[in-house]
Amino acid sequence: MSYDAELKLFIDGNWKSGEGRDAFTVINPVTAEGIAEVPLATAADLEEALAAAERAWPLWRATEVEKRAAILHKAAALLIERADHIAAILTQEQGKPLAEAKAEVTGSASMFTWYADEIKRDYGRTLVRPTGQRSIVIRQPVGPTATFTPWNFPIYLLAKKIAAALAAGCPVISRPPQETPGCTGELFRALDDAGIPKGVAQLVHGKAALVSEALFASPVIRKASFTGSVPVGKHLMKLAADHMKRITLELGGHAPVLIFDDCDLEKMLDMVVPQKFRNAGQVCVSPTRFYVQEGIYDAFLKGFAARTAHVKIGDGLDATTKMGPLANARRPDEIEKLVNDAAAKGARVLAGGERGDSGFFFQPTLLGDVPINADIMNEEPFGPVAVSASFKSFDDAIEQANRLPFGLAAFAFTENGRRANLLGDAIESGMVGINTFAISTADAPFGGVKDSGFGSEGGKEGLETYQVVKAIHLA
């Protein structure tokens, strides 16, 4: 999707007029049929939410850390207890297999658990001063926060933001994806049942442009956090600048995977194929651009294609399904366009390459010998397509990995320890996985460089994005 098209979708949305209030139709991506309608917030609703956050702010920031932590621990326990129920809703709204949906719910719980404990370790520091003087540095909550999250991991990406914000002492107003209101509502239900005070954690469904403009313009909101596309991120960054808001941006990627000829090829293939087609490739850190050293390139293509042919697609509620549909009607159109462009420019379609017969399905796809001028080599496909090309030397691989303006995640496979160290230094990316795809954990920072955004979520760095630094000097 072009820059202008993505921004237009953000501003115009996909909504319809209801009786006295705009509404959004929730679609089951398996059948492409509506399953619910969500009323969208009005300008008056947003003003009410802002007023509630303003009232809650002095009370929540003054709440003892132990009490905040206890509420977050309780919310985590409720998410685990309700995981099967929430996962079923998530699968029906978004399409991912039930096992993946349940893992997302439990992963979300881990974010609340980790930040509930981390806030207790939020120590300041004392500077060296002459006897009788003191200079200390402390961190305090930045204030009411607005969060905006996408539909690919609707619960986990929301939990990443609000767990840190709430732990820090910041009330939050969250605009979750309209496509997945049921599962995100369950996350807020868990917080409510855990005893979060009124006004501290609020969820609003509404047209993205209306919500963002209202929240960014309000002096109540001190910080915003957004996960989504590069064009929308740049648009929100301009809004933030106009109103001097702090902002965290986790934007698009196009993750390179550098595969060297000394790797354990069969082990790597067994790892990489499930990762590529996890959530139908709708993952911001999905391994996508495969650069394979010449000596093992043909064997890589053969092994990848064979494994891809055995990825069972279907309804995520079926326990045997390994890949569900894409999340909305736009995605199959975009994927088909990119695949056709690559094939027209000389790429070989070695597996898949076609849409499904119904719903929003697209076959797991492998493209070989993809030329550098193919659109899919330069635009994030955000779907179940792996693109591949060969390379000769280490320098060639690094050149291709760093060629694009994105820098969210990158991966490499090698058994050479020195090469692994060099790769970690040379790749321009916020996160690098070497012989692993485990790069998103509660205790580690998650974020990108270049057009992939700035700021971190996860780890102590994620907590710090919801805090301001204060130096206090006593003489």
Side-chain angles (χ1 to χ4, degrees), residues 117-345:
D117 292 332
E118 181 63 13
I119 192 60
K120 300 176 185 178
R121 299 187 289 265
D122 187 35
Y123 311 123
R125 58 193 175 100
T126 302
L127 308 181
V128 177
R129 292 292 183 268
T131 299
Q133 298 180 23
R134 291 288 183 272
S135 290
I136 61 174
V137 181
I138 63 173
R139 291 183 177 275
Q140 294 182 310
V142 64
T145 296
T147 74
F148 303 84
T149 45
W151 43 259
N152 58 327
F153 288 92
I155 302 179
Y156 184 68
L157 294 177
L158 184 57
K160 251 186 177 182
K161 298 180 189 300
I162 65 174
L166 294 173
C170 302
V172 294
I173 299 176
S174 295
R175 190 248 181 209
Q178 292 165 185
E179 293 90 342
T180 55
C183 60
T184 50
E186 288 296 326
L187 177 58
F188 276 76
R189 187 191 306 277
L191 281 167
D192 187 53
D193 291 345
I196 199 85
K198 300 302 181 185
V200 173
Q202 300 182 78
L203 178 152
V204 295
H205 291 288
K207 288 181 282 186
L210 172 66
V211 176
S212 60
E213 289 171 8
L215 298 187
F216 274 86
S218 172
V220 172
I221 298 299
R222 307 281 184 86
K223 189 263 167 79
S225 182
F226 170 77
T227 298
S229 71
V230 174
V232 176
K234 290 182 176 180
H235 171 71
L236 294 180
M237 190 173 177
K238 293 175 184 176
L239 291 181
D242 287 342
H243 300 284
M244 288 301 291
K245 307 292 186 191
R246 289 177 55 175
I247 190 167
T248 297
L249 297 173
E250 193 262 282
L251 308 179
H254 201 334
V257 187
L258 310 184
I259 301 171
F260 291 86
D261 58 12
D262 66 341
C263 77
D264 185 331
L265 183 61
E266 294 301 313
K267 179 181 178 181
M268 182 276 299
L269 285 168
D270 287 341
M271 291 172 60
V272 80
V273 173
Q275 281 294 322
K276 173 62 252 181
F277 301 120
R278 179 171 68 104
N279 199 23
Q282 300 166 123
V283 183
C284 55
V285 296
S286 179
T288 300
R289 292 182 293 141
F290 292 86
Y291 297 108
V292 186
Q293 203 155 21
E294 287 180 335
I296 60 170
Y297 181 58
D298 290 340
F300 166 83
L301 294 178
K302 181 179 179 180
F304 200 115
R307 288 166 174 79
T308 299
H310 290 96
V311 176
K312 184 179 184 297
I313 62 174
D315 189 333
L317 294 176
D318 183 340
T320 64
T321 293
K322 297 301 181 184
M323 192 187 91
L326 296 167
N328 55 58
R330 302 185 303 276
R331 300 313 312 148
D333 292 341
E334 292 297 323
I335 299 302
E336 185 175 49
K337 180 180 175 182
L338 289 170
V339 169
N340 290 344
D341 172 79
K345 291 174 179 174

